[in-house]
Amino acid sequence: MRKKLYLLCGLNSERKLIVDLLAILFGIGSWLGINSVYVQLPLLVGNAPEGWNLPSYLVVIIQLGNIGPILYTAALRIKSFRDSYLIIALLVLGSCAAMTTAFVYDQTVHVFGAERSVPLFITVFGLSLVGCTSSVLFMPYMGRFKGIYLITYLIGEGFSGFVPSIVALIQGVGGNGECIAVNGTDPNEPPQYTSYTPPPRFGTRPYFIVSSVILAISMVAFVLLDRLAVCRREYAAVSIGNGNNYAYEPSTPNDEETRSAAGDAATTTKGKASLDRTNYLLMMVLISVMCLFGNGFFPSIQSYSCLPYGNVAYHLTVTLSSMANPAACFLAFFVQRNSIRSIVALSAVFVPFAAYALTTAMTSPDPPLMHHVLGDILVVACWTLLVGLVSYIRLAITTLLRCEGGQTLVWVGVASQLGSLVGSILSFTLVNFTDTFQQYYPC
């Protein structure tokens, strides 16, 4: 019966659902902390002293978390250790950082003559260590399993944005800001107005407490994935060295699902799939560019693109675009082969959506179709499809390069984080030191 159900769904009947479940829960912990912060931005920007510039600060701080991958890579050259211990420590750090954020997100410190959200910056840095290091540690760790489980891990990584979005949709944003007249003492003076935004169903503190609990669940799931015998039996034919240094052994007829992830562009030589050097470098550059825009540049300007259309449009954009990530990963679950040609074509489709998002941000505080329902729909749809395309392209490249071995997945993570770092520095400079992006004031 179970095999018939698998065949009906197009799934491999030899997979273990317990490994799938644990891989998904493990993947959720990778970027859940950072995604929780992003999804909460519609509420955070209204109270933070940085205002609409807060996302640009957070993006740079998140990229500072790349010190984690650097230290990890350096440590492997000095001393061998079990990467599972480090993964557990990172997930514990993430859970503690999310819990701390729940109690310090609205506190400020006077720095360089102005109030700054320093406690929030510190806790976000802790969360960023988990996310950034997961690119070179979590995902390569899953490479030792059969290829079918890398997809389920990436689905879990996508759910790290979906789960906070569901909580945020339940939370709500209260509504769009309204101009309320403030009665003065002198009736001859013209009335003054102040902006008022209705409160959400529940505040930011319960939101981050929920995130902390989910990260703790992810840590428990990884411990089971690493220790249970039923999970170890699902390893691919690999020779595992120190850290994530492993290589695939000559394939057998049972390894067909492992090889299929390499796609049409891969060729099998002596049992090991490989890409030629030109295509290999093309994929590395392409995933770096996708992360430059998708993870570094566009998150910093999203507030300028969406907030002129109202808090509700911004809230829906953030939550639905976070849901687009797991939706793209789920779609890839049923796509058995990815070719370089299809990846390049999808990258071309990404361009017009990116251009429209950039146009709405640069024309703030008066973007196209402002105060029109069509404008709200277009900006929400544009950002949702934009994030979905970045997520799918990134996953397609990752699965294409998987059969190159564990170190290749490490380099995929390095290329991703390098692109994100360049994008965050570029956006921070444009947002905070130029007049390219202008804030909208409803009153």
Side-chain angles (χ1 to χ4, degrees):
M1 180 66 184
R2 187 180 69 173
K3 290 185 177 181
K4 290 182 178 180
L5 180 60
Y6 282 147
L7 290 174
L8 182 63
C9 298
L11 303 178
N12 191 318
S13 61
E14 298 302 322
R15 68 191 313 133
K16 301 295 183 183
L17 288 182
I18 182 63
V19 181
D20 282 314
L21 176 61
L22 293 176
I24 289 174
L25 291 176
F26 172 43
I28 287 176
S30 57
W31 288 96
L32 183 132
I34 293 304
N35 285 324
S36 297
V37 175
Y38 277 135
V39 173
Q40 200 68 185
L41 279 176
L43 296 179
L44 293 176
V45 296
N47 299 318
E50 294 80 8
W52 286 22
N53 291 350
L54 178 64
S56 66
Y57 282 88
L58 294 181
V59 167
V60 171
I61 291 170
I62 290 169
Q63 296 311 313
L64 291 178
N66 285 303
I67 189 66
I70 294 174
L71 292 176
Y72 168 72
T73 304
L76 283 179
R77 296 182 178 274
I78 299 173
K79 183 180 179 180
S80 61
F81 56 89
R82 288 193 62 179
D83 48 359
S84 59
Y85 293 154
L86 182 55
I87 292 175
I88 294 172
L90 284 172
L91 290 173
V92 170
L93 171 64
S95 181
C96 294
M99 183 63 71
T100 305
T101 304
F103 296 94
V104 303
Y105 71 91
D106 56 351
Q107 298 182 18
T108 61
V109 176
H110 196 75
V111 179
F112 300 120
E115 293 294 322
R116 298 296 180 190
S117 304
V118 175
L120 176 64
F121 294 162
I122 295 174
T123 58
V124 169
F125 175 72
L127 294 171
S128 70
L129 283 175
V130 181
C132 294
T133 310
S134 72
S135 297
V136 298
L137 186 61
F138 291 19
M139 184 170 60
Y141 174 88
M142 289 303 302
R144 66 189 61 191
F145 286 86
K146 296 176 182 177
I148 52 178
Y149 298 113
L150 179 61
I151 299 295
T152 52
Y153 165 81
L154 291 172
I155 290 175
E157 190 175 284
F159 272 109
S160 67
F162 182 82
V163 173
S165 299
I166 292 296
V167 178
L169 285 176
I170 298 173
Q171 179 189 32
V173 74
N176 292 325
E178 303 173 0
C179 290
I180 305 298
V182 179
N183 296 328
T185 57
D186 188 352
N188 295 323
E189 292 183 356
Q192 296 181 349
Y193 295 89
T194 184
S195 179
Y196 168 75
T197 302
R201 294 185 181 90
F202 57 87
T204 300
R205 179 168 299 171
Y207 177 89
F208 279 109
I209 291 176
V210 172
S211 299
S212 177
V213 172
I214 297 174
L215 280 164
I217 294 173
S218 179
M219 185 270 295
V220 174
F222 171 74
V223 172
L224 296 176
L225 185 67
D226 186 60
R227 303 295 173 85
L228 290 180
V230 65
C231 298
R232 289 177 176 270
R233 287 195 293 268
E234 293 304 298
Y235 281 2
V238 296
S239 299
I240 301 175
N242 296 328
N244 285 318
N245 185 16
Y246 56 85
Y248 293 100
E249 297 174 353
S251 60
T252 66
N254 293 330
D255 293 328
E256 185 176 353
E257 76 283 355
T258 300
R259 300 193 307 269
S260 64
D264 294 334
T267 60
T268 302
T269 304
K270 295 182 180 180
K272 182 180 177 180
S274 62
L275 295 174
D276 63 73
R277 184 176 179 83
T278 300
N279 288 329
Y280 183 90
L281 292 177
L282 173 63
M283 292 298 99
M284 286 293 183
V285 170
L286 190 55
I287 196 171
S288 184
V289 171
M290 287 293 108
C291 289
L292 185 152
F293 288 105
N295 297 340
F297 186 81
F298 282 120
S300 297
I301 66 171
Q302 193 175 49
S303 56
Y304 292 93
S305 173
C306 303
L307 269 175
Y309 295 95
N311 291 335
V312 174
Y314 186 27
H315 175 67
L316 288 175
T317 297
V318 171
T319 52
L320 292 180
S321 60
S322 294
M323 292 180 179
N325 188 316
C329 294
F330 186 75
L331 175 63
F333 188 86
F334 297 98
V335 179
Q336 298 299 319
R337 290 182 178 273
N338 289 299
S339 65
I340 293 177
R341 182 177 297 178
S342 64
I343 291 174
V344 172
L346 288 174
S347 301
V349 174
F350 163 85
V351 174
F353 294 103
Y356 185 79
L358 183 60
T359 299
T360 55
M362 294 184 66
T363 54
S364 175
D366 189 23
L369 298 175
M370 186 177 174
H371 304 306
H372 291 274
V373 175
L374 180 59
D376 298 355
I377 295 174
L378 285 177
V379 74
V380 173
C382 173
W383 277 97
T384 302
L385 292 172
L386 186 71
V387 174
L389 282 171
V390 170
S391 301
Y392 186 87
I393 293 170
R394 175 177 173 270
L395 185 148
I397 295 174
T398 301
T399 54
L400 192 67
L401 294 174
R402 174 191 175 273
C403 291
E404 300 297 313
Q407 288 300 304
T408 293
L409 289 182
V410 172
W411 283 112
V412 167
V414 170
S416 300
Q417 295 307 319
L418 182 61
S420 300
L421 176 62
V422 173
S424 66
I425 294 174
L426 175 62
S427 61
F428 182 83
T429 303
L430 291 176
V431 169
N432 292 282
F433 299 104
T434 70
D435 295 327
T436 305
F437 304 100
Q438 299 290 331
Q439 185 169 340
Y440 168 74
Y441 296 96
C443 298

